[in-house]
Amino acid sequence: MSTYTARLGGRTHSFPSLAALLAAASPERSGDRLAGLAADSAEARVAARWALAEVPLARFLAEPVIPYEDDDVTRLIVDTHDARAFAPVAGLCVGEFREWLLSDAADAGSLAALAPGLTPEMVAAVSKLMGNADLVAVARKARVVTAFRSTIGLPGRLATRLQPNHPTDDPAGVAAALLDGLLLGSGDAVIGINPATDSPKAVRDLLELLDGVIRRYAIPTQSCVLCHVTTSIDLMERGAPVDLVFQSIAGTQAANASFGVTLGLLDEAYDAARGLGRGTAGQNALYFETGQGSALSANAHHGVDQQTVEARAYAVARRYDPLLVNTVVGFIGPEYLYDGRQILRAALEDHFCGKLLGLPMGLDICYTNHADADDDDIATMLTMLGVAGASFVICTPGGDDIMLNYQSASYHDALYLREVLGLRPAPEFEDWLSRIGLLDDAGAIRDVTGTAHPLTAIGRELAA
Amino acid sequence: MTNRPPAAYEGESDRAMWAALRRHTQARIGLGRAGSALPTRHRLELQAAHAAARDAVHTPFAPDVVAAALTGFPTIRVRSAAPDRLGYLQRPDLGRRLDAADRAHLPRDDWDVVFVVADGLSSRAVHEHAAAMVHATTALLPADLRVAPVVLAEQARVALGDDIAHAMGARMTVVLVGERPGMSAADSLGAYLTYAPRPGTTTDADRNCLSNIRPPLGLAYATAAARLTALMKRAHELGRTGVDLKDESTESAEAPALTPTT
C-alpha cells in the first residue's frame, strides 16, 4: 500500500491507503463518522481531495480498496475490467478525469464506450472532486437505454415505479393504490410491490394480481414483487408470472452474504429470468436496489467509505444487464445520511456513479421521519435528479408509504417533474396512456375522474 | 379535448368510488389535483402527519412524567453516552452504551428482571404507554419474582438495556422503547425481551420483540403484557431469548404461570 500526502494549512496531511484517502475526501456524512473513516477536520478533507486529484486512474487497478483474495466483488471488478475501453482515459489522474468528463470530449457516445473501462473506485473518486452541479452536468450527458415491455432511459423521458404497497398485502388495498397510480400516469418503469412477507404464496398472489391487470388493459409495463432472489427462482420454476427478478445488493461479498445472495445465485436468477422471454421491447429482466450504508450496517465495509462501497454495488448490478437499478437513498436513516443536504449529495453521487458505469439509474428519493428532511427536500432532489437525467423515480400515493413507514416522492411529484422539465413517459407507455384516454391534446395527464374512465372497472369491482 | 367526459360524470359518483376504495387501504389515494400538485387540504394533512412524527422524535424525554405514573415502583434515571439528540441520531453506538458515571450508581443485586424505559425515537410513545405497560406486565408476574427498580434511560437505544442489566446483575431485561415514528403512528411503543444480555455480544437476533403497542389503535396493554410474560416464562425455561424462542401465545390476556428464578 502507498501513503498519500498533501500539504495544506501549513501541515502535511497523510493518508495510509487509497481506501483511507477516498474516505477522507468524501463530503461530511454521518455514516463515515460512525465508521470512524471521516476526515478529522475540514482542512484534512480538502487535503485529501488535493492528494486524490493527483492519483492516476490506473492506480485504482493496482491497489484494490478491498483485497482481491478476500472479496468476490473485487475479483469481479478486476477480472471484467475492459482495458481497451479504458484506453482513452488511461493516462489521466483523477483531477484531469474530472475536467475531461466536464468537457465536450465526454458526450453520450464516448461515455457509453468508456463505461466498461471504468471501475467503481474510479467513478467514486472523481465524484468526490465534483460539486453537485458537476454531478448533474456529467450524469445528464450519459445515456443508458434498457427495455422489457417499455423502454427506459431515452432522452427527454422520465419513467416511474408505481409502488402500491399494503401492510398486509391485501389484494383489494393493493389494487386500489394501483388504480390511483395508473390514473395519475405512473407505472412505466415497473409496477413494483414490497410485500409484507417473503412467503412464496403471498408473492405469487401479488404477481398474479399485477399480471392480470397488465394483461387485461394491455399495459406496456412490467411487474415486480420485491422478494428475495431465491423466492423468485423458485416461483419461476413453478410457472408464476415473473417479469422482473429483484434483489437488494451491496458492494462487498460479506454485505451481499448478509442479504443472503452470492454472485452464483444472481447468475442463476439471470439465466432463469432471461429464459422466460417475457419482454416484448427488450430482455433486460433484472431489478436491483442499493443504498449507501448497507455495508456498514452489515459490518461488512472493510474500512471503505459508504459512497465507494455503494459504487461497488453497481459493478455487481452491471454484470446482469438490469432493466432498472435504484438507490433507496434516504431509507436507512440519519446514522448514515443525517439530513436533506447529505441525502441530496448522496443521491447525486449514486446517480452519477451508476450512469458512468453504464447502469439505468433511478432513485427512491426518500427519507425517514427521524432524519432532518421534509417534503421540500423531496422537491429539491426531484428537480436536480430530473435535470441530471435520472431514468426513473419511485412514487407512492401521497408520498407516504404505509407499508415501509417512510416518505418518498408522490405520483403528483412525478407529474410536476414531467411538466416543469418537459419530460415524457416511456414511449410505449405514453402511447398506451393516449389510447386509453389519459392524455390531453398537449400530452399531459388529463384530470379524469374515477367513474368516467375504463380503468375504473378495477375500482368499481372492488367497491361493489 | 374531444374525449373529455362531460361534467355530469364527475362529482358525487367519483367521490363515492374513492370512499369505497379507501375502505381497503390507508394509502393516500384519490387525493385529486391542483394543477400537477396536491390540493391544499391534502398537502397540509401530510405536513401535519410529518410534524407529529418529527415532534415525537425531538420531544425531550420527561422521566418525571413516567416516574409519576409508575406509582409503587422505585425508579433510577440514567443517560446513554450520546451527549444530545443530534449525537444520538448520528451515533447509534453511543446510544447503546451507558454514561460511565451513571453505570456506577446502578444497584447490583440478584434481580430476575429489570424494566428499562428507553426514549428511543419517540418520547411521546414512552410518555403515553410505558408506565401502563410496566403495571400491566408486573401484575401478571409472580409476587416472589425479584423486579429491579425501573430504569428510565435517556437518549437510549434498545441495546442500552444490555449494559444496564449487566451492570445490575439482572437475568432478564425488558426494554420499553419509543419506535421510529411513521406518518400514521407517532406514538408506537416496542417491548424487547433479552435473557442474560451481554453488552457488545448480544445482538437483535438474541431478542424477542413486541411491536406497535399503542391502544386503542395498536396492541392493547393487557394483550401485550400477556404475550410478554409468556415469553418471559419460556425464556426462563430455555435459558435464552431470540430466534429460538417463538411467540406461541394466543390473544388471551390470562396470566401465564412464571416460575421465579431465585
Side-chain angles (χ1 to χ4, degrees):
Chain A
M1 266 191 265
S2 317
T3 296
Y4 299 84
T5 59
R7 258 194 94 66
L8 191 67
R11 58 172 280 226
T12 300
H13 298 264
S14 176
F15 308 94
S17 66
L18 203 45
L21 180 67
L22 286 164
S26 254
E28 168 74 28
R29 72 193 44 173
S30 46
D32 290 336
R33 200 154 285 289
L34 177 62
L37 297 170
D40 53 19
S41 71
E43 209 164 74
R45 174 167 293 118
V46 179
R49 290 178 188 162
W50 279 103
L52 183 60
E54 291 173 7
V55 174
L57 288 182
R59 180 77 209 150
F60 291 91
L61 298 169
E63 188 186 334
V65 294
I66 300 171
Y68 186 91
E69 300 72 29
D70 296 353
D71 185 89
D72 64 6
V73 179
T74 299
R75 291 196 287 279
L76 173 66
I77 293 165
V78 172
D79 295 349
T80 62
H81 182 250
D82 183 337
R84 184 180 296 188
F86 181 54
V89 299
L92 304 183
C93 60
V94 179
E96 292 166 336
F97 183 43
R98 171 178 175 273
E99 293 175 357
W100 183 86
L101 287 170
L102 289 161
S103 78
D104 289 341
D107 59 18
S110 58
L111 288 172
L114 180 61
L118 295 177
T119 68
E121 291 81 0
M122 292 176 198
V123 296
V126 77
S127 78
K128 294 172 197 294
L129 300 185
M130 291 194 151
N132 283 3
D134 300 345
L135 295 172
V136 170
V138 175
R140 183 179 176 80
K141 297 193 282 187
R143 281 287 154 199
V144 180
V145 179
T146 55
F148 193 77
R149 290 189 199 108
S150 56
T151 306
I152 311 296
L154 292 168
R157 307 275 176 175
L158 173 81
T160 58
R161 168 176 160 193
L162 194 170
Q163 183 170 296
N165 291 347
H166 188 279
T168 60
D169 296 334
D170 175 56
V174 167
L178 171 58
L179 171 64
D180 182 55
L182 289 174
L183 287 175
L184 289 168
S186 192
D188 43 349
V190 62
I191 300 171
I193 299 174
N194 301 89
T197 80
D198 208 65
S199 97
K201 164 84 168 70
V203 172
R204 183 166 193 150
D205 288 349
L206 290 172
L207 281 169
E208 282 173 357
L209 168 71
L210 296 182
D211 191 55
V213 171
I214 287 172
R215 284 169 179 276
R216 177 170 171 186
Y217 295 98
I219 310 174
T221 191
Q222 36 284 333
S223 74
C224 189
V225 178
L226 284 71
C227 57
H228 193 264
V229 65
T230 50
T231 306
S232 291
I233 290 171
D234 180 45
L235 286 168
M236 283 188 283
E237 281 169 1
R238 291 196 267 149
V242 175
D243 288 342
L244 304 184
V245 172
F246 169 81
Q247 184 55 47
S248 288
I249 53 170
T252 69
Q253 181 176 348
N256 282 321
S258 81
F259 290 151
V261 292
T262 60
L263 298 181
L265 200 50
L266 293 173
D267 288 348
E268 192 185 329
Y270 177 67
D271 291 341
R274 287 176 80 98
L276 295 180
R278 289 170 62 86
T280 51
Q283 293 299 335
N284 300 107
L286 268 69
Y287 176 14
F288 294 115
E289 282 191 344
T290 67
Q292 291 190 24
S294 59
L296 174 57
S297 163
N299 198 22
H301 64 297
H302 296 267
V304 179
D305 70 88
Q306 69 181 30
Q307 187 237 340
T308 302
V309 174
E310 167 74 6
R312 286 167 53 95
Y314 307 154
V316 176
R318 72 174 166 179
R319 175 180 172 89
Y320 304 105
D321 310 320
L323 179 74
L324 308 166
V325 178
N326 68 259
T327 168
V328 191
V329 68
F331 185 75
I332 308 190
E335 59 266 46
Y336 303 101
L337 296 168
Y338 180 69
D339 56 12
R341 179 183 165 132
Q342 290 189 10
I343 299 171
L344 168 65
R345 174 73 199 184
L348 293 171
E349 289 166 351
D350 293 352
H351 177 254
F352 166 91
C353 290
K355 277 278 166 74
L356 283 199
L357 291 171
L359 289 177
M361 282 304 289
L363 294 103
D364 192 354
I365 291 170
C366 61
Y367 61 91
T368 58
N369 285 314
H370 57 315
D372 189 3
D374 63 19
D375 54 358
D376 283 337
D377 291 299
I378 295 274
T380 304
M381 286 193 262
L382 261 178
T383 307
M384 286 201 81
L385 269 306
V387 176
S391 292
F392 70 102
V393 292
I394 290 181
C395 299
T396 59
D400 174 21
D401 191 294
I402 57 167
M403 147 76 186
L404 296 169
N405 274 330
Y406 76 123
Q407 275 69 253
S408 180
S410 66
Y411 303 122
H412 296 75
D413 290 327
L415 291 181
Y416 146 80
L417 199 58
R418 284 175 176 162
E419 181 183 311
V420 295
L421 295 178
L423 299 170
R424 294 154 58 194
E428 302 85 354
F429 195 78
E430 184 178 38
D431 290 347
W432 175 79
L433 287 170
S434 180
R435 279 202 306 280
I436 204 160
L438 283 170
L439 292 187
D440 68 18
D441 296 345
I445 293 292
R446 289 177 48 212
D447 196 6
V448 300
T449 64
T451 46
H453 196 273
L455 270 182
T456 58
I458 301 172
R460 279 198 301 276
E461 284 163 19
L462 288 175
Chain B
M1 302 277 216
T2 48
N3 54 356
R4 178 176 281 279
Y9 282 96
E10 306 178 7
E12 274 314 310
S13 58
D14 190 40
R15 276 198 291 279
M17 186 193 79
W18 286 116
L21 293 182
R22 279 192 204 96
R23 286 203 305 268
H24 301 287
T25 180
Q26 305 239 302
R28 295 168 196 266
I29 58 173
L31 301 183
R33 289 160 60 187
S36 289
L38 286 173
T40 306
R41 179 185 147 209
H42 291 299
R43 175 167 163 73
L44 293 176
E45 279 180 1
L46 276 160
Q47 290 189 347
H50 182 243
R54 293 292 291 154
D55 286 347
V57 171
H58 289 282
T59 298
F61 182 38
D64 290 347
V65 170
V66 182
L70 278 170
T71 45
F73 287 89
T75 57
I76 303 170
R77 296 172 198 195
V78 298
R79 301 176 51 91
S80 76
D84 51 26
R85 204 58 174 163
L86 189 146
Y88 173 78
L89 290 172
Q90 297 198 18
R91 292 286 305 271
D93 53 328
L94 298 181
R96 296 185 188 117
R97 204 163 69 225
L98 265 172
D99 176 85
D102 286 351
R103 185 186 284 108
H105 294 137
L106 288 171
R108 193 176 172 83
D109 207 335
D110 191 23
W111 312 114
D112 289 307
V113 60
V114 56
F115 287 87
V116 176
V117 174
D119 52 358
L121 288 167
S122 172
S123 294
R124 199 182 130 195
V126 169
H127 297 160
E128 292 179 16
H129 306 303
M133 264 307 287
V134 173
H135 284 297
T137 308
T138 51
L140 300 181
L141 294 173
D144 53 352
L145 196 87
R146 298 205 58 192
V147 179
V150 178
V151 178
L152 309 178
E154 192 173 349
Q155 310 294 11
R157 303 227 173 216
V158 170
L160 189 73
D162 303 343
D163 207 352
I164 291 168
H166 193 67
M168 295 177 76
R171 275 176 198 82
M172 276 188 278
T173 176
V174 173
V175 179
L176 300 168
V177 61
E179 293 175 351
R180 160 174 151 171
M183 291 272 270
S184 51
D187 65 334
S188 196
L189 189 78
Y192 289 81
L193 172 67
T194 316
Y195 190 87
R198 300 182 59 83
T201 54
T202 295
T203 72
D204 288 343
D206 302 315
R207 309 185 199 286
N208 290 89
C209 171
L210 294 175
S211 187
N212 196 31
I213 302 167
R214 54 182 284 267
L217 295 170
L219 206 53
Y221 303 135
T223 313
R227 290 169 63 178
L228 184 58
T229 47
L231 285 168
M232 290 166 80
K233 175 172 181 278
R234 304 254 348 271
H236 173 67
E237 289 164 0
L238 275 173
R240 61 181 180 272
T241 42
V243 289
D244 299 330
L245 174 59
K246 302 286 184 228
D247 181 5
E248 290 162 353
S249 66
T250 62
E251 293 297 305
S252 158
E254 129 192 322
L258 187 77
T259 314
T261 55
T262 44

